[in-house]
Amino acid sequence: MNQDVILITGASGQLGIVLTEKLQEKYGIANVIATDLRCNTEFKGQFEILDVTDFDAIKTIVLKYQVTQIYHMAAILSAKGEGSPLSTWDINMSTFFNVLEVSRLNQVNKVFFPSSIAVFGDNIQRENTPQSPNLTPTTVYGISKAAGENWANYYYKKYGLDVRSLRYPGVIGYQSLPGGGTTDYAVDIFHKAVNNEAYECFLNATTMLPMIYMEDAIRATIELMDVPKEKITIRTSYNIAGMSFNPKQLALSIEKSYPNFQMTYQPDFRQDIANSWPMSIDDSQAKNDWNWQPKYNLELMTADMLKNLENKYNSNPITI
């Protein structure tokens, strides 16, 4: 059997960095091509500068390396996207269409499309949000993800292109700084705590949101892509869940290790976005179809985040 060759778009992003490393471990460093708009000298192995809005540039890389799978991680996120909604829509959708068409026309076997809890609107059941509610997103990022889910389903049904997707909750990881998402307080807060700084949260204390630790998010992604095709029953995007908490609960968890940590609250426009999102997620379909199970809860995640960030800042001080 031929060796799979993996192309990752947006490889310098929060998820892309960690996903690239894990895929290099799985497929071999020579068989994973990381790409982004700008050169990233920190990547080991294959790296190409790629503007995913350029169809021909994607096609060139796919043919050059004989790519068999694409993980399309490039996107403008929720909070950042609200500053320029039309260009966010244009970029998020045009890049996905390019990936779909290049894949369809050039024998790419599988495509991964990351969706988000941003696809849900404020008319949903917010606790234990089901797999298939009415999707009326309140951000252009969410609109683009909901549309992308339907295009993924369309390309599978019409062309047989094996597109798979997860609706990520807020993703928390120590590997990179926040990237412009509504749930990014749950990343930034750890950096402030480890640097003995106070944190001003842009959500109120009781805003409950579903989250997932980076290790679980990456593992879920790779597990889904490894599942035999016949076991996949959701061709839009699977709900997945890790844990749910609010800013106050997260601060209390951090205070167990940093008792002097202080957090204040100054909600901004992101509060309205968060109020339209689920508080918890029903991911029973993922559990049934491919045995998905998260490993990290709030306490385990907090301990691991603090340990890794302490090591990071002690060995390589960074100003943020």
Side-chain angles (χ1 to χ4, degrees):
M1 186 172 70
N2 292 334
Q3 172 67 54
D4 277 309
V5 178
I6 314 299
L7 171 64
I8 305 167
T9 71
S12 295
Q14 181 193 19
L15 277 161
I17 289 171
V18 188
L19 180 62
T20 299
E21 293 176 354
K22 294 298 183 182
L23 290 172
Q24 286 174 338
E25 292 174 9
K26 179 177 176 63
Y27 291 100
I29 200 164
N31 295 309
V32 177
I33 300 91
T35 70
D36 216 305
L37 270 172
R38 296 173 185 84
C39 182
N40 190 329
T41 57
E42 295 182 3
F43 274 110
K44 298 176 182 177
Q46 307 278 6
F47 183 87
E48 295 268 3
I49 295 174
L50 175 63
D51 179 353
V52 200
T53 64
D54 186 338
F55 177 92
D56 290 332
I58 304 171
K59 179 181 176 181
T60 296
I61 291 177
V62 165
L63 294 178
K64 175 182 177 181
Y65 293 98
Q66 295 185 300
V67 168
T68 63
Q69 295 186 26
I70 299 178
Y71 289 72
H72 178 49
M73 310 306 290
I76 298 175
L77 301 182
S78 60
K80 186 176 180 181
E82 290 305 283
S84 185
L86 294 183
S87 63
T88 296
W89 167 262
D90 184 52
I91 290 170
N92 285 359
M93 295 310 301
S94 65
T95 58
F96 188 37
F97 287 140
N98 284 345
V99 166
L100 290 172
E101 278 294 281
V102 168
S103 299
R104 177 178 75 86
L105 296 170
N106 295 280
Q107 289 75 54
V108 173
N109 297 328
K110 293 181 190 175
V111 174
F112 178 77
F113 171 69
S115 191
S116 163
I117 59 170
V119 299
F120 301 116
D122 54 13
N123 62 343
I124 57 164
Q125 173 187 314
R126 293 190 66 212
E127 293 188 35
N128 209 31
T129 301
Q131 172 65 47
S132 300
N134 182 40
L135 301 183
T136 53
T138 59
T139 64
V140 67
Y141 171 73
I143 294 169
S144 70
K145 289 300 184 183
E149 289 187 11
N150 285 311
W151 278 107
N153 184 57
Y154 179 86
Y155 265 73
Y156 173 70
K157 291 193 170 182
K158 186 171 182 66
Y159 303 116
L161 181 61
D162 191 356
V163 190
R164 306 181 182 195
S165 179
L166 297 174
R167 289 175 182 151
Y168 290 118
V171 179
I172 303 169
Y174 58 85
Q175 294 89 345
S176 61
L177 296 175
T182 300
T183 57
D184 275 350
Y185 87 86
V187 177
D188 199 14
I189 188 174
F190 285 101
H191 290 269
K192 294 294 193 295
V194 169
N195 283 287
N196 296 308
E197 299 175 22
Y199 181 62
E200 183 178 275
C201 186
F202 52 76
L203 301 179
N204 69 43
T206 58
T207 305
M208 187 76 69
L209 288 170
M211 304 282 187
I212 191 168
Y213 195 41
M214 180 68 76
E215 309 306 311
D216 277 339
I218 298 300
R219 181 171 55 82
T221 303
I222 296 173
E223 283 181 0
L224 175 63
M225 291 294 275
D226 284 346
V227 172
K229 188 175 180 179
E230 62 272 13
K231 290 185 176 293
I232 304 295
T233 64
I234 304 296
R235 284 294 177 176
T236 50
S237 190
Y238 278 98
N239 280 0
I240 58 164
M243 67 201 92
S244 288
F245 55 79
N246 61 41
K248 181 62 176 177
Q249 290 171 324
L250 179 55
L252 290 172
S253 184
I254 291 171
E255 286 171 16
K256 293 175 183 178
S257 298
Y258 287 81
N260 295 323
F261 175 68
Q262 295 183 344
M263 182 160 73
T264 56
Y265 301 91
Q266 190 63 46
D268 63 16
F269 73 98
R270 287 167 284 195
Q271 184 65 56
D272 289 336
I273 296 174
N275 288 345
S276 73
W277 286 358
M279 294 187 288
S280 59
I281 295 288
D282 176 6
D283 59 356
S284 56
Q285 196 72 48
K287 291 175 178 175
N288 289 338
D289 287 0
W290 43 280
N291 298 318
W292 157 247
Q293 289 291 340
K295 293 181 179 179
Y296 285 86
N297 58 22
L298 177 58
E299 291 73 23
L300 290 174
M301 178 203 70
T302 299
D304 202 59
M305 281 289 291
L306 292 174
K307 178 187 73 174
N308 280 284
L309 286 178
E310 286 163 359
N311 291 339
K312 180 177 181 178
Y313 282 111
N314 287 337
S315 62
N316 184 27
I318 300 174
T319 302
I320 62 172

